[in-house]
Amino acid sequence: MRLLVCGGAGYIGSHMCKLLAEHGHEVAVVDNLSTGHAAAVRWGELHVGDIGDAAFLDRVFDDFRPEGVLHFAAKSIVGESVTDPAIYYLNNFSSSLNLFERVRRIPECPLIFSSTAAIFGVPRSDLINEAHPKYPINAYGRSKLAVEQVLQDYWTAYAMPSMSFRYFNAAGADPAGNIGEAHHPETHLIPRVFDSILGRSCAMKIFGDDYETPDGTCVRDFVHVNDLCNAHLLGLEFLKVRRGALAFNLGNGTGFSVRDVLKAAEEITGVAVPHEFTDRRPGDPSRLVADSSLARESLGWTARYSELPDIMQTAWAWHRDRKF
Ligand code: UFG
């Protein structure tokens, strides 16, 4: 298929482009490079521009004539969404709407949307499935949930097929080491652990050790970026036979604590992680773990990387020798 990847210069989007190309798809990337990297775009032509720019999108769509769209372009720092929500409603909501307006002019063009565990808000159960109540507690989660709701309406009214994937904690990197997670500034746990080990930052801060979890630190569901991307491949096939505005939770189904992450990093690198404990970070739920049985049953998806050290090993190979 000819597939347009919006946000294809970013962390997950760039891994997606590689996988799509390996599966014989023709790829084009749209990215405004606000957080992505031109160097990460190696499997399709890069069109630098903003999905909020209708004239720009028209040019790309007329030129490339996509048969499907994968939409990764977004701002994704929870804390920033609290202090500056406008960025999130403009980039994640308003610009997505602009993109969908262009997509729906192509009859039955499938769209896959990157959603997030943040749409669920404070977890009310150990495992979070699709039926879990959705009361996001920050503008990031609210902007993503609003887009999911738009997609429901667009299916009902315009028969625009779509699939939303709620990622839990995306982690790891391309095992070949050519692309990986590279946010500036970096706020995520695993890259910060490796930056700390490599002396690229000062001792990292661990946000809270008094949570009601087995070791007092937060528990997260780390899922390998390539496993997330594999779900998109399966989703594209699924949308050919079962149309709708569908949504799936994607995670390993296993929780690992922040201390587990530090321990795994020390085992992989043989270096103690310079760190200090500090106050809780506002808005961090104590535990976020996915129930992905619907994705397993419907799409045949499984996370091939189920062990934290295996996921982190790929991240380490990337961070040790980062290209951008
Ligand atoms: N953490 C630290 N120190 C750091 C960075 C993180 O202790 O320097 C802790 C956090 O407090 C949290 C855990 O590590 O307990 C994971 O934090 P991340 O920032 O790596 O990831 P989040 O769980 O906050 O964020 C993820 C996704 C978001 C999504 C959110 C849902 O990255 O896109 O889950 O809550 F919105």
Side-chain angles (χ1 to χ4, degrees):
M1 290 172 82
R2 273 191 312 281
L3 296 169
L4 186 67
V5 181
C6 301
Y11 170 39
I12 306 175
S14 59
H15 287 78
M16 188 74 243
C17 292
K18 181 175 183 187
L19 199 66
L20 290 172
E22 283 172 356
H23 281 76
H25 296 291
E26 197 182 329
V27 174
V29 170
V30 161
D31 203 298
N32 65 9
L33 300 182
S34 62
T35 54
H37 307 271
V41 182
R42 302 173 43 173
W43 297 275
E45 195 182 346
L46 169 62
H47 301 266
V48 180
D50 201 293
I51 58 166
D53 177 345
F56 163 71
L57 276 188
D58 265 345
R59 286 195 298 278
V60 174
F61 273 70
D62 291 347
D63 178 43
F64 185 62
R65 290 174 292 108
E67 297 161 299
V69 175
L70 296 99
H71 175 25
F72 298 88
K75 297 286 181 189
S76 63
I77 301 176
V78 172
E80 182 184 56
S81 84
V82 176
T83 53
D84 201 349
I87 299 178
Y88 284 73
Y89 290 116
L90 288 168
N91 275 280
N92 295 2
F93 181 73
S94 179
S95 295
S96 293
L97 206 54
N98 194 53
L99 172 67
F100 302 163
E101 279 304 283
R102 187 61 188 81
V103 172
R104 80 178 171 94
R105 280 163 48 193
I106 308 170
E108 305 204 339
C109 180
L111 179 127
I112 300 194
F113 171 61
S114 298
S115 188
T116 169
I119 66 161
F120 294 109
V122 179
R124 298 178 185 198
S125 50
D126 275 355
L127 296 181
I128 299 176
N129 68 14
E130 287 75 4
H132 187 283
K134 297 168 191 71
Y135 296 112
I137 55 170
N138 49 59
Y140 173 58
R142 278 192 277 274
S143 69
K144 290 282 186 175
L145 181 59
V147 173
E148 285 201 23
Q149 288 163 341
V150 167
L151 289 173
Q152 292 287 344
D153 289 341
Y154 273 41
W155 166 247
T156 309
Y158 311 129
M160 188 177 109
S162 65
M163 194 173 281
S164 297
F165 284 126
R166 291 92 176 237
Y167 309 149
F168 280 62
N169 286 60
D174 168 36
N178 294 320
I179 45 175
E181 191 168 6
H183 300 114
H184 305 293
E186 186 53 79
T187 61
H188 291 103
L189 178 65
I190 294 176
R192 278 196 165 182
V193 165
F194 289 133
D195 279 348
S196 195
I197 285 178
L198 289 162
R200 291 181 185 150
S201 62
C202 43
M204 67 170 303
K205 293 186 167 37
I206 303 299
F207 302 128
D209 63 351
D210 57 352
Y211 284 95
E212 285 176 14
T213 55
D215 67 17
T217 62
C218 286
V219 169
R220 292 290 181 273
D221 180 331
F222 296 96
V223 53
H224 196 278
V225 60
N226 277 359
D227 280 326
L228 294 178
C229 293
N230 264 317
H232 292 64
L233 282 181
L234 295 167
L236 282 170
E237 289 307 309
F238 195 72
L239 279 172
K240 289 179 183 164
V241 291
R242 166 88 165 71
R243 301 195 154 234
L246 311 172
F248 299 97
N249 293 0
L250 295 182
N252 257 314
T254 311
F256 301 98
S257 73
V258 172
R259 282 189 209 268
D260 289 336
V261 169
L262 263 63
K263 189 159 161 274
E266 291 181 356
E267 276 164 16
I268 289 166
T269 62
V271 179
V273 182
H275 68 278
E276 61 190 59
F277 286 93
T278 178
D279 293 346
R280 292 182 178 196
R281 189 171 68 176
D284 272 343
S286 59
R287 180 185 156 91
L288 268 181
V289 183
D291 175 351
S292 297
S293 34
L294 189 63
R296 261 197 312 280
E297 286 151 21
S298 306
L299 307 177
W301 179 76
T302 47
R304 290 185 204 152
Y305 289 84
S306 57
E307 301 300 325
L308 181 64
D310 296 341
I311 295 173
M312 288 183 57
Q313 185 69 56
T314 64
W316 170 238
W318 157 253
H319 284 287
R320 204 180 33 198
D321 191 22
R322 264 168 69 159
K323 318 256 183 320
F324 48 84

PDB file of all heavy atoms in Angstrom, residues 76 78 116 118 140 169 187-189 192 204-207 218 220 258 281 284 288, ligand 1:
ATOM      1  N   SER A  76       3.610  15.093  23.458  1.00  0.00           N
ATOM      2  CA  SER A  76       3.316  13.962  24.345  1.00  0.00           C
ATOM      3  C   SER A  76       3.965  14.057  25.725  1.00  0.00           C
ATOM      4  O   SER A  76       4.267  13.030  26.324  1.00  0.00           O
ATOM      5  CB  SER A  76       3.742  12.652  23.671  1.00  0.00           C
ATOM      6  OG  SER A  76       5.130  12.653  23.469  1.00  0.00           O
ATOM      7  N   VAL A  78       3.276  14.895  29.393  1.00  0.00           N
ATOM      8  CA  VAL A  78       2.121  15.110  30.261  1.00  0.00           C
ATOM      9  C   VAL A  78       2.255  16.409  31.057  1.00  0.00           C
ATOM     10  O   VAL A  78       1.328  17.228  31.099  1.00  0.00           O
ATOM     11  CB  VAL A  78       1.941  13.901  31.204  1.00  0.00           C
ATOM     12  CG1 VAL A  78       0.873  14.182  32.245  1.00  0.00           C
ATOM     13  CG2 VAL A  78       1.592  12.652  30.405  1.00  0.00           C
ATOM     14  N   THR A 116      -3.306   6.861  23.716  1.00  0.00           N
ATOM     15  CA  THR A 116      -2.446   6.695  24.892  1.00  0.00           C
ATOM     16  C   THR A 116      -3.211   6.160  26.096  1.00  0.00           C
ATOM     17  O   THR A 116      -4.430   6.389  26.224  1.00  0.00           O
ATOM     18  CB  THR A 116      -1.836   8.067  25.282  1.00  0.00           C
ATOM     19  OG1 THR A 116      -1.203   7.951  26.561  1.00  0.00           O
ATOM     20  CG2 THR A 116      -2.892   9.152  25.404  1.00  0.00           C
ATOM     21  N   ALA A 118      -3.048   7.465  28.756  1.00  0.00           N
ATOM     22  CA  ALA A 118      -3.452   8.656  29.525  1.00  0.00           C
ATOM     23  C   ALA A 118      -4.935   8.991  29.360  1.00  0.00           C
ATOM     24  O   ALA A 118      -5.462   9.798  30.120  1.00  0.00           O
ATOM     25  CB  ALA A 118      -2.598   9.850  29.115  1.00  0.00           C
ATOM     26  N   TYR A 140      -3.109  16.396  27.905  1.00  0.00           N
ATOM     27  CA  TYR A 140      -2.602  15.421  26.940  1.00  0.00           C
ATOM     28  C   TYR A 140      -3.630  14.301  26.735  1.00  0.00           C
ATOM     29  O   TYR A 140      -4.048  14.023  25.614  1.00  0.00           O
ATOM     30  CB  TYR A 140      -1.268  14.847  27.433  1.00  0.00           C
ATOM     31  CG  TYR A 140      -0.750  13.708  26.594  1.00  0.00           C
ATOM     32  CD1 TYR A 140      -0.514  13.878  25.238  1.00  0.00           C
ATOM     33  CD2 TYR A 140      -0.510  12.452  27.162  1.00  0.00           C
ATOM     34  CE1 TYR A 140      -0.043  12.829  24.459  1.00  0.00           C
ATOM     35  CE2 TYR A 140      -0.030  11.408  26.394  1.00  0.00           C
ATOM     36  CZ  TYR A 140       0.198  11.598  25.042  1.00  0.00           C
ATOM     37  OH  TYR A 140       0.662  10.559  24.274  1.00  0.00           O
ATOM     38  N   ASN A 169       3.613   2.230  28.047  1.00  0.00           N
ATOM     39  CA  ASN A 169       4.910   2.927  28.003  1.00  0.00           C
ATOM     40  C   ASN A 169       5.791   2.390  26.881  1.00  0.00           C
ATOM     41  O   ASN A 169       6.438   1.343  27.044  1.00  0.00           O
ATOM     42  CB  ASN A 169       5.607   2.816  29.356  1.00  0.00           C
ATOM     43  CG  ASN A 169       4.968   3.722  30.387  1.00  0.00           C
ATOM     44  OD1 ASN A 169       3.785   3.579  30.689  1.00  0.00           O
ATOM     45  ND2 ASN A 169       5.719   4.667  30.914  1.00  0.00           N
ATOM     46  N   THR A 187      12.272  13.375  28.966  1.00  0.00           N
ATOM     47  CA  THR A 187      11.576  13.276  30.255  1.00  0.00           C
ATOM     48  C   THR A 187      11.306  11.825  30.643  1.00  0.00           C
ATOM     49  O   THR A 187      10.898  11.556  31.769  1.00  0.00           O
ATOM     50  CB  THR A 187      10.207  13.992  30.200  1.00  0.00           C
ATOM     51  OG1 THR A 187       9.406  13.344  29.204  1.00  0.00           O
ATOM     52  CG2 THR A 187      10.349  15.457  29.865  1.00  0.00           C
ATOM     53  N   HIS A 188      11.501  10.893  29.715  1.00  0.00           N
ATOM     54  CA  HIS A 188      11.087   9.508  29.971  1.00  0.00           C
ATOM     55  C   HIS A 188      12.137   8.721  30.745  1.00  0.00           C
ATOM     56  O   HIS A 188      13.332   8.976  30.644  1.00  0.00           O
ATOM     57  CB  HIS A 188      10.753   8.811  28.649  1.00  0.00           C
ATOM     58  CG  HIS A 188       9.520   9.365  28.026  1.00  0.00           C
ATOM     59  ND1 HIS A 188       9.560  10.225  26.963  1.00  0.00           N
ATOM     60  CD2 HIS A 188       8.219   9.222  28.357  1.00  0.00           C
ATOM     61  CE1 HIS A 188       8.327  10.574  26.643  1.00  0.00           C
ATOM     62  NE2 HIS A 188       7.491   9.985  27.477  1.00  0.00           N
ATOM     63  N   LEU A 189      11.632   7.752  31.483  1.00  0.00           N
ATOM     64  CA  LEU A 189      12.460   7.043  32.449  1.00  0.00           C
ATOM     65  C   LEU A 189      13.669   6.331  31.826  1.00  0.00           C
ATOM     66  O   LEU A 189      14.815   6.557  32.255  1.00  0.00           O
ATOM     67  CB  LEU A 189      11.585   6.028  33.217  1.00  0.00           C
ATOM     68  CG  LEU A 189      12.314   5.165  34.227  1.00  0.00           C
ATOM     69  CD1 LEU A 189      12.877   6.004  35.366  1.00  0.00           C
ATOM     70  CD2 LEU A 189      11.385   4.077  34.778  1.00  0.00           C
ATOM     71  N   ARG A 192      16.421   8.431  30.396  1.00  0.00           N
ATOM     72  CA  ARG A 192      17.083   9.186  31.466  1.00  0.00           C
ATOM     73  C   ARG A 192      18.030   8.295  32.269  1.00  0.00           C
ATOM     74  O   ARG A 192      19.092   8.738  32.695  1.00  0.00           O
ATOM     75  CB  ARG A 192      16.042   9.792  32.399  1.00  0.00           C
ATOM     76  CG  ARG A 192      15.481  11.087  31.850  1.00  0.00           C
ATOM     77  CD  ARG A 192      14.773  11.817  32.952  1.00  0.00           C
ATOM     78  NE  ARG A 192      14.518  13.205  32.581  1.00  0.00           N
ATOM     79  CZ  ARG A 192      13.940  14.078  33.395  1.00  0.00           C
ATOM     80  NH1 ARG A 192      13.549  13.711  34.593  1.00  0.00           N
ATOM     81  NH2 ARG A 192      13.736  15.301  33.012  1.00  0.00           N
ATOM     82  N   MET A 204      20.121  11.101  38.079  1.00  0.00           N
ATOM     83  CA  MET A 204      18.690  11.242  37.781  1.00  0.00           C
ATOM     84  C   MET A 204      17.863  11.231  39.054  1.00  0.00           C
ATOM     85  O   MET A 204      18.285  10.702  40.092  1.00  0.00           O
ATOM     86  CB  MET A 204      18.235  10.147  36.838  1.00  0.00           C
ATOM     87  CG  MET A 204      18.274   8.775  37.432  1.00  0.00           C
ATOM     88  SD  MET A 204      17.445   7.638  36.351  1.00  0.00           S
ATOM     89  CE  MET A 204      15.829   8.345  36.183  1.00  0.00           C
ATOM     90  N   LYS A 205      16.682  11.805  38.934  1.00  0.00           N
ATOM     91  CA  LYS A 205      15.772  11.848  40.074  1.00  0.00           C
ATOM     92  C   LYS A 205      14.723  10.761  39.920  1.00  0.00           C
ATOM     93  O   LYS A 205      14.162  10.583  38.827  1.00  0.00           O
ATOM     94  CB  LYS A 205      15.091  13.209  40.140  1.00  0.00           C
ATOM     95  CG  LYS A 205      16.053  14.338  40.455  1.00  0.00           C
ATOM     96  CD  LYS A 205      15.285  15.622  40.656  1.00  0.00           C
ATOM     97  CE  LYS A 205      16.096  16.738  41.282  1.00  0.00           C
ATOM     98  NZ  LYS A 205      17.479  16.854  40.890  1.00  0.00           N
ATOM     99  N   ILE A 206      14.476  10.056  41.010  1.00  0.00           N
ATOM    100  CA  ILE A 206      13.390   9.078  41.024  1.00  0.00           C
ATOM    101  C   ILE A 206      12.225   9.731  41.756  1.00  0.00           C
ATOM    102  O   ILE A 206      12.362  10.130  42.922  1.00  0.00           O
ATOM    103  CB  ILE A 206      13.800   7.782  41.763  1.00  0.00           C
ATOM    104  CG1 ILE A 206      15.057   7.185  41.122  1.00  0.00           C
ATOM    105  CG2 ILE A 206      12.647   6.776  41.766  1.00  0.00           C
ATOM    106  CD1 ILE A 206      14.914   6.800  39.688  1.00  0.00           C
ATOM    107  N   PHE A 207      11.099   9.833  41.050  1.00  0.00           N
ATOM    108  CA  PHE A 207       9.969  10.583  41.587  1.00  0.00           C
ATOM    109  C   PHE A 207       9.098   9.714  42.508  1.00  0.00           C
ATOM    110  O   PHE A 207       8.103   9.147  42.070  1.00  0.00           O
ATOM    111  CB  PHE A 207       9.123  11.147  40.442  1.00  0.00           C
ATOM    112  CG  PHE A 207       9.905  12.040  39.510  1.00  0.00           C
ATOM    113  CD1 PHE A 207       9.883  11.826  38.132  1.00  0.00           C
ATOM    114  CD2 PHE A 207      10.660  13.093  40.006  1.00  0.00           C
ATOM    115  CE1 PHE A 207      10.598  12.651  37.282  1.00  0.00           C
ATOM    116  CE2 PHE A 207      11.382  13.921  39.150  1.00  0.00           C
ATOM    117  CZ  PHE A 207      11.353  13.698  37.778  1.00  0.00           C
ATOM    118  N   CYS A 218       6.714   3.656  41.256  1.00  0.00           N
ATOM    119  CA  CYS A 218       5.610   3.449  40.305  1.00  0.00           C
ATOM    120  C   CYS A 218       5.842   2.217  39.435  1.00  0.00           C
ATOM    121  O   CYS A 218       6.990   1.868  39.119  1.00  0.00           O
ATOM    122  CB  CYS A 218       5.487   4.665  39.387  1.00  0.00           C
ATOM    123  SG  CYS A 218       4.787   6.098  40.180  1.00  0.00           S
ATOM    124  N   ARG A 220       4.960   0.447  35.749  1.00  0.00           N
ATOM    125  CA  ARG A 220       4.541   0.755  34.378  1.00  0.00           C
ATOM    126  C   ARG A 220       4.624  -0.490  33.498  1.00  0.00           C
ATOM    127  O   ARG A 220       5.356  -1.433  33.789  1.00  0.00           O
ATOM    128  CB  ARG A 220       5.447   1.842  33.776  1.00  0.00           C
ATOM    129  CG  ARG A 220       5.279   3.211  34.421  1.00  0.00           C
ATOM    130  CD  ARG A 220       3.931   3.822  34.073  1.00  0.00           C
ATOM    131  NE  ARG A 220       3.723   5.135  34.650  1.00  0.00           N
ATOM    132  CZ  ARG A 220       3.222   5.356  35.867  1.00  0.00           C
ATOM    133  NH1 ARG A 220       2.901   4.347  36.649  1.00  0.00           N
ATOM    134  NH2 ARG A 220       3.028   6.584  36.301  1.00  0.00           N
ATOM    135  N   VAL A 258       9.859   1.252  38.764  1.00  0.00           N
ATOM    136  CA  VAL A 258      11.000   2.112  38.447  1.00  0.00           C
ATOM    137  C   VAL A 258      12.288   1.470  38.968  1.00  0.00           C
ATOM    138  O   VAL A 258      13.320   1.471  38.293  1.00  0.00           O
ATOM    139  CB  VAL A 258      10.772   3.519  39.039  1.00  0.00           C
ATOM    140  CG1 VAL A 258      12.013   4.388  38.896  1.00  0.00           C
ATOM    141  CG2 VAL A 258       9.569   4.196  38.362  1.00  0.00           C
ATOM    142  N   ARG A 281       6.084  12.973  41.273  1.00  0.00           N
ATOM    143  CA  ARG A 281       5.795  13.891  40.170  1.00  0.00           C
ATOM    144  C   ARG A 281       4.273  14.013  40.069  1.00  0.00           C
ATOM    145  O   ARG A 281       3.582  12.979  40.000  1.00  0.00           O
ATOM    146  CB  ARG A 281       6.371  13.292  38.879  1.00  0.00           C
ATOM    147  CG  ARG A 281       6.336  14.212  37.686  1.00  0.00           C
ATOM    148  CD  ARG A 281       7.117  13.624  36.511  1.00  0.00           C
ATOM    149  NE  ARG A 281       6.515  12.435  35.936  1.00  0.00           N
ATOM    150  CZ  ARG A 281       6.986  11.802  34.854  1.00  0.00           C
ATOM    151  NH1 ARG A 281       8.064  12.256  34.251  1.00  0.00           N
ATOM    152  NH2 ARG A 281       6.395  10.715  34.392  1.00  0.00           N
ATOM    153  N   ASP A 284       1.294  11.356  38.360  1.00  0.00           N
ATOM    154  CA  ASP A 284       1.755   9.987  38.092  1.00  0.00           C
ATOM    155  C   ASP A 284       0.874   8.975  38.822  1.00  0.00           C
ATOM    156  O   ASP A 284       0.897   8.919  40.061  1.00  0.00           O
ATOM    157  CB  ASP A 284       3.190   9.796  38.609  1.00  0.00           C
ATOM    158  CG  ASP A 284       4.243  10.171  37.589  1.00  0.00           C
ATOM    159  OD1 ASP A 284       3.918  10.265  36.395  1.00  0.00           O
ATOM    160  OD2 ASP A 284       5.407  10.367  37.993  1.00  0.00           O
ATOM    161  N   LEU A 288       0.206   1.450  36.091  1.00  0.00           N
ATOM    162  CA  LEU A 288      -0.492   1.513  34.797  1.00  0.00           C
ATOM    163  C   LEU A 288      -0.105   0.267  34.019  1.00  0.00           C
ATOM    164  O   LEU A 288       1.009   0.174  33.513  1.00  0.00           O
ATOM    165  CB  LEU A 288      -0.008   2.711  33.992  1.00  0.00           C
ATOM    166  CG  LEU A 288      -0.701   4.058  34.080  1.00  0.00           C
ATOM    167  CD1 LEU A 288      -0.018   5.047  33.139  1.00  0.00           C
ATOM    168  CD2 LEU A 288      -2.176   3.934  33.709  1.00  0.00           C
TER     169      LEU A 288
HETATM  170  N1  UFG B   1      10.357   8.676  36.331  1.00  0.00           N
HETATM  171  C1  UFG B   1      11.309   8.972  37.294  1.00  0.00           C
HETATM  172  N2  UFG B   1      12.335   9.772  36.928  1.00  0.00           N
HETATM  173  C2  UFG B   1      12.475  10.299  35.677  1.00  0.00           C
HETATM  174  C3  UFG B   1      11.489   9.981  34.709  1.00  0.00           C
HETATM  175  C4  UFG B   1      10.445   9.177  35.080  1.00  0.00           C
HETATM  176  O1  UFG B   1      11.229   8.527  38.433  1.00  0.00           O
HETATM  177  O2  UFG B   1      13.435  11.026  35.425  1.00  0.00           O
HETATM  178  C5  UFG B   1       9.236   7.790  36.698  1.00  0.00           C
HETATM  179  C6  UFG B   1       7.893   8.497  36.591  1.00  0.00           C
HETATM  180  O3  UFG B   1       7.593   9.183  37.777  1.00  0.00           O
HETATM  181  C7  UFG B   1       6.971   7.320  36.314  1.00  0.00           C
HETATM  182  C8  UFG B   1       7.842   6.336  35.521  1.00  0.00           C
HETATM  183  O4  UFG B   1       9.175   6.725  35.783  1.00  0.00           O
HETATM  184  O5  UFG B   1       6.601   6.735  37.511  1.00  0.00           O
HETATM  185  C9  UFG B   1       7.611   6.389  34.034  1.00  0.00           C
HETATM  186  O6  UFG B   1       7.683   7.743  33.610  1.00  0.00           O
HETATM  187  P1  UFG B   1       7.795   8.171  32.079  1.00  0.00           P
HETATM  188  O7  UFG B   1       7.876   9.651  32.043  1.00  0.00           O
HETATM  189  O8  UFG B   1       8.857   7.388  31.403  1.00  0.00           O
HETATM  190  O9  UFG B   1       6.430   7.682  31.475  1.00  0.00           O
HETATM  191  P2  UFG B   1       4.926   7.991  31.934  1.00  0.00           P
HETATM  192  O10 UFG B   1       4.447   6.750  32.602  1.00  0.00           O
HETATM  193  O11 UFG B   1       4.787   9.242  32.692  1.00  0.00           O
HETATM  194  O12 UFG B   1       4.248   8.345  30.564  1.00  0.00           O
HETATM  195  C10 UFG B   1       3.692   7.395  29.763  1.00  0.00           C
HETATM  196  C11 UFG B   1       3.731   7.896  28.323  1.00  0.00           C
HETATM  197  C12 UFG B   1       2.781   9.026  28.192  1.00  0.00           C
HETATM  198  C13 UFG B   1       1.430   8.617  28.713  1.00  0.00           C
HETATM  199  C14 UFG B   1       1.522   8.203  30.149  1.00  0.00           C
HETATM  200  C15 UFG B   1       0.205   7.784  30.699  1.00  0.00           C
HETATM  201  O13 UFG B   1       5.033   8.282  27.962  1.00  0.00           O
HETATM  202  O14 UFG B   1       2.706   9.383  26.821  1.00  0.00           O
HETATM  203  O15 UFG B   1       2.400   7.134  30.226  1.00  0.00           O
HETATM  204  O16 UFG B   1       0.155   8.137  32.052  1.00  0.00           O
HETATM  205  F1  UFG B   1       0.589   9.663  28.662  1.00  0.00           F
END
